[in-house]
Amino acid sequence: MMKVAIEQAYLALEVGEVPVGAVLVYDQKIISKSYNKTIVNVDSTSHAEINVIREAERLTNNYRLNNCSLYVTLEPCIMCLGAIINSRISRVVFGAYDSKLFHKVDYSFLKQERKLNHQIELVGGVMETVCSNILKDFFQIRRN
């Protein structure tokens, strides 16, 4: 599934977006897939994760995505993490760690927070080198 998310990241690259891709899966079947579309949609919230959540909720006609897994090429930001919690996604698998999140965040605080009525399994570093290189190459080109 991470390979499909990487394919989505390359689609983002083709349209000049920051190359982050995501796939939402239920019972080993893809429900939705997307990539960053902040420029295309003129919407700062149009991250890959938000896009797949919105599409899946629309397709299932349900704002709860219980027992779904999200595969994303970059560690989710705080906004996306909030959407993941609110939509009740059960598992998040991500590739590259986001250095803006102070690298390899300890998510144990989520399990300790008693006010949250939903827990997420987070797995990071899956195909990390590939996911990181897509982003590094993109920003290297942008800087030049």
Side-chain angles (χ1 to χ4, degrees), residues 19-43:
V20 177
V23 178
L24 192 70
V25 176
Y26 176 77
D27 198 24
Q28 297 301 313
K29 293 178 186 157
I30 295 174
I31 298 175
S32 60
K33 55 187 177 180
S34 192
Y35 52 86
N36 275 2
K37 296 181 181 178
T38 57
I39 298 167
V40 171
N41 290 343
V42 191
D43 179 356

Tab-separated table of all heavy atoms in Angstrom, residues 19-43:
chain	number	residue	atom	x	y	z
A	19	PRO	N	5.400	16.698	-2.889
A	19	PRO	CA	5.062	15.314	-3.210
A	19	PRO	C	4.785	14.423	-2.003
A	19	PRO	O	5.649	13.701	-1.512
A	19	PRO	CB	6.288	14.825	-3.984
A	19	PRO	CG	7.407	15.653	-3.456
A	19	PRO	CD	6.815	16.987	-3.135
A	20	VAL	N	3.557	14.495	-1.541
A	20	VAL	CA	3.082	13.627	-0.468
A	20	VAL	C	1.849	12.908	-0.996
A	20	VAL	O	0.943	13.545	-1.547
A	20	VAL	CB	2.726	14.421	0.805
A	20	VAL	CG1	2.158	13.504	1.887
A	20	VAL	CG2	3.954	15.160	1.324
A	21	GLY	N	1.839	11.593	-0.834
A	21	GLY	CA	0.705	10.795	-1.279
A	21	GLY	C	0.127	9.996	-0.135
A	21	GLY	O	0.820	9.697	0.840
A	22	ALA	N	-1.156	9.646	-0.265
A	22	ALA	CA	-1.828	8.891	0.786
A	22	ALA	C	-2.842	7.925	0.185
A	22	ALA	O	-3.388	8.175	-0.889
A	22	ALA	CB	-2.525	9.834	1.759
A	23	VAL	N	-3.077	6.839	0.920
A	23	VAL	CA	-4.044	5.817	0.534
A	23	VAL	C	-4.790	5.396	1.788
A	23	VAL	O	-4.173	5.157	2.832
A	23	VAL	CB	-3.317	4.582	-0.068
A	23	VAL	CG1	-4.322	3.501	-0.423
A	23	VAL	CG2	-2.494	4.961	-1.268
A	24	LEU	N	-6.103	5.299	1.680
A	24	LEU	CA	-6.912	4.825	2.797
A	24	LEU	C	-7.464	3.454	2.436
A	24	LEU	O	-8.007	3.263	1.345
A	24	LEU	CB	-8.055	5.793	3.105
A	24	LEU	CG	-8.757	5.519	4.428
A	24	LEU	CD1	-7.850	5.854	5.608
A	24	LEU	CD2	-10.038	6.307	4.528
A	25	VAL	N	-7.301	2.516	3.373
A	25	VAL	CA	-7.598	1.109	3.102
A	25	VAL	C	-8.555	0.559	4.162
A	25	VAL	O	-8.414	0.852	5.352
A	25	VAL	CB	-6.274	0.294	3.128
A	25	VAL	CG1	-6.537	-1.182	2.959
A	25	VAL	CG2	-5.316	0.809	2.073
A	26	TYR	N	-9.510	-0.236	3.687
A	26	TYR	CA	-10.390	-0.986	4.583
A	26	TYR	C	-10.392	-2.437	4.116
A	26	TYR	O	-10.653	-2.709	2.937
A	26	TYR	CB	-11.811	-0.429	4.567
A	26	TYR	CG	-12.767	-1.238	5.415
A	26	TYR	CD1	-12.764	-1.103	6.795
A	26	TYR	CD2	-13.637	-2.141	4.834
A	26	TYR	CE1	-13.629	-1.853	7.587
A	26	TYR	CE2	-14.502	-2.897	5.617
A	26	TYR	CZ	-14.497	-2.749	6.984
A	26	TYR	OH	-15.337	-3.489	7.768
A	27	ASP	N	-10.115	-3.345	5.015
A	27	ASP	CA	-10.122	-4.773	4.705
A	27	ASP	C	-9.250	-5.089	3.479
A	27	ASP	O	-9.665	-5.801	2.571
A	27	ASP	CB	-11.567	-5.242	4.496
A	27	ASP	CG	-11.710	-6.742	4.613
A	27	ASP	OD1	-10.871	-7.389	5.279
A	27	ASP	OD2	-12.671	-7.281	4.017
A	28	GLN	N	-8.066	-4.508	3.469
A	28	GLN	CA	-7.073	-4.687	2.399
A	28	GLN	C	-7.527	-4.163	1.033
A	28	GLN	O	-6.934	-4.500	0.016
A	28	GLN	CB	-6.646	-6.158	2.283
A	28	GLN	CG	-5.953	-6.702	3.522
A	28	GLN	CD	-4.689	-5.918	3.866
A	28	GLN	OE1	-3.869	-5.639	3.005
A	28	GLN	NE2	-4.544	-5.542	5.126
A	29	LYS	N	-8.569	-3.338	1.008
A	29	LYS	CA	-9.046	-2.755	-0.248
A	29	LYS	C	-8.918	-1.239	-0.164
A	29	LYS	O	-9.264	-0.630	0.855
A	29	LYS	CB	-10.497	-3.140	-0.506
A	29	LYS	CG	-10.668	-4.617	-0.766
A	29	LYS	CD	-12.115	-4.973	-0.972
A	29	LYS	CE	-12.220	-6.494	-1.075
A	29	LYS	NZ	-13.523	-6.986	-0.741
A	30	ILE	N	-8.448	-0.643	-1.248
A	30	ILE	CA	-8.287	0.807	-1.285
A	30	ILE	C	-9.658	1.466	-1.402
A	30	ILE	O	-10.433	1.162	-2.309
A	30	ILE	CB	-7.386	1.219	-2.471
A	30	ILE	CG1	-5.968	0.683	-2.256
A	30	ILE	CG2	-7.396	2.739	-2.635
A	30	ILE	CD1	-5.033	0.897	-3.437
A	31	ILE	N	-9.927	2.368	-0.459
A	31	ILE	CA	-11.162	3.160	-0.490
A	31	ILE	C	-10.913	4.450	-1.259
A	31	ILE	O	-11.713	4.859	-2.088
A	31	ILE	CB	-11.643	3.509	0.930
A	31	ILE	CG1	-11.960	2.265	1.715
A	31	ILE	CG2	-12.859	4.423	0.861
A	31	ILE	CD1	-12.322	2.546	3.145
A	32	SER	N	-9.796	5.097	-0.942
A	32	SER	CA	-9.472	6.362	-1.608
A	32	SER	C	-7.965	6.557	-1.632
A	32	SER	O	-7.239	6.003	-0.810
A	32	SER	CB	-10.160	7.535	-0.901
A	32	SER	OG	-9.749	7.631	0.440
A	33	LYS	N	-7.529	7.345	-2.594
A	33	LYS	CA	-6.114	7.691	-2.701
A	33	LYS	C	-6.029	9.103	-3.247
A	33	LYS	O	-6.893	9.539	-4.008
A	33	LYS	CB	-5.359	6.690	-3.568
A	33	LYS	CG	-5.917	6.493	-4.950
A	33	LYS	CD	-5.216	5.360	-5.670
A	33	LYS	CE	-5.852	5.137	-7.046
A	33	LYS	NZ	-5.194	4.060	-7.772
A	34	SER	N	-4.999	9.801	-2.808
A	34	SER	CA	-4.847	11.189	-3.235
A	34	SER	C	-3.443	11.675	-2.913
A	34	SER	O	-2.609	10.922	-2.413
A	34	SER	CB	-5.889	12.084	-2.556
A	34	SER	OG	-5.910	13.363	-3.167
A	35	TYR	N	-3.227	12.939	-3.176
A	35	TYR	CA	-1.948	13.576	-2.906
A	35	TYR	C	-2.204	15.016	-2.470
A	35	TYR	O	-3.350	15.479	-2.491
A	35	TYR	CB	-1.031	13.516	-4.138
A	35	TYR	CG	-1.654	14.018	-5.418
A	35	TYR	CD1	-1.620	15.370	-5.752
A	35	TYR	CD2	-2.281	13.147	-6.286
A	35	TYR	CE1	-2.194	15.832	-6.922
A	35	TYR	CE2	-2.846	13.587	-7.472
A	35	TYR	CZ	-2.792	14.937	-7.782
A	35	TYR	OH	-3.365	15.394	-8.955
A	36	ASN	N	-1.141	15.710	-2.085
A	36	ASN	CA	-1.280	17.109	-1.703
A	36	ASN	C	-1.857	17.905	-2.865
A	36	ASN	O	-1.407	17.763	-4.007
A	36	ASN	CB	0.084	17.704	-1.337
A	36	ASN	CG	0.479	17.440	0.087
A	36	ASN	OD1	-0.227	16.788	0.841
A	36	ASN	ND2	1.634	17.940	0.470
A	37	LYS	N	-2.850	18.740	-2.565
A	37	LYS	CA	-3.477	19.579	-3.586
A	37	LYS	C	-3.700	20.996	-3.068
A	37	LYS	O	-4.683	21.646	-3.411
A	37	LYS	CB	-4.808	18.961	-4.025
A	37	LYS	CG	-4.667	17.617	-4.705
A	37	LYS	CD	-6.018	17.077	-5.138
A	37	LYS	CE	-5.853	15.710	-5.786
A	37	LYS	NZ	-7.149	15.138	-6.176
A	38	THR	N	-2.793	21.460	-2.246
A	38	THR	CA	-2.974	22.792	-1.654
A	38	THR	C	-2.930	23.889	-2.708
A	38	THR	O	-3.700	24.851	-2.626
A	38	THR	CB	-1.918	23.065	-0.566
A	38	THR	OG1	-0.626	22.922	-1.136
A	38	THR	CG2	-2.065	22.117	0.602
A	39	ILE	N	-2.064	23.739	-3.698
A	39	ILE	CA	-1.952	24.740	-4.764
A	39	ILE	C	-3.104	24.571	-5.751
A	39	ILE	O	-3.799	25.533	-6.094
A	39	ILE	CB	-0.591	24.626	-5.478
A	39	ILE	CG1	0.546	24.909	-4.490
A	39	ILE	CG2	-0.516	25.578	-6.667
A	39	ILE	CD1	1.921	24.522	-4.997
A	40	VAL	N	-3.310	23.344	-6.197
A	40	VAL	CA	-4.361	23.041	-7.175
A	40	VAL	C	-5.732	23.476	-6.660
A	40	VAL	O	-6.518	24.073	-7.392
A	40	VAL	CB	-4.365	21.533	-7.511
A	40	VAL	CG1	-5.569	21.149	-8.353
A	40	VAL	CG2	-3.088	21.138	-8.225
A	41	ASN	N	-6.030	23.187	-5.410
A	41	ASN	CA	-7.330	23.512	-4.831
A	41	ASN	C	-7.381	24.884	-4.171
A	41	ASN	O	-8.438	25.278	-3.667
A	41	ASN	CB	-7.735	22.456	-3.798
A	41	ASN	CG	-8.064	21.129	-4.426
A	41	ASN	OD1	-8.292	21.030	-5.622
A	41	ASN	ND2	-8.093	20.077	-3.619
A	42	VAL	N	-6.251	25.580	-4.123
A	42	VAL	CA	-6.140	26.858	-3.414
A	42	VAL	C	-6.742	26.687	-2.020
A	42	VAL	O	-7.665	27.378	-1.609
A	42	VAL	CB	-6.815	28.019	-4.190
A	42	VAL	CG1	-6.450	29.357	-3.571
A	42	VAL	CG2	-6.449	27.998	-5.664
A	43	ASP	N	-6.184	25.722	-1.290
A	43	ASP	CA	-6.728	25.335	0.010
A	43	ASP	C	-5.586	24.814	0.879
A	43	ASP	O	-5.044	23.738	0.626
A	43	ASP	CB	-7.787	24.248	-0.199
A	43	ASP	CG	-8.407	23.745	1.095
A	43	ASP	OD1	-7.982	24.158	2.202
A	43	ASP	OD2	-9.333	22.911	0.999
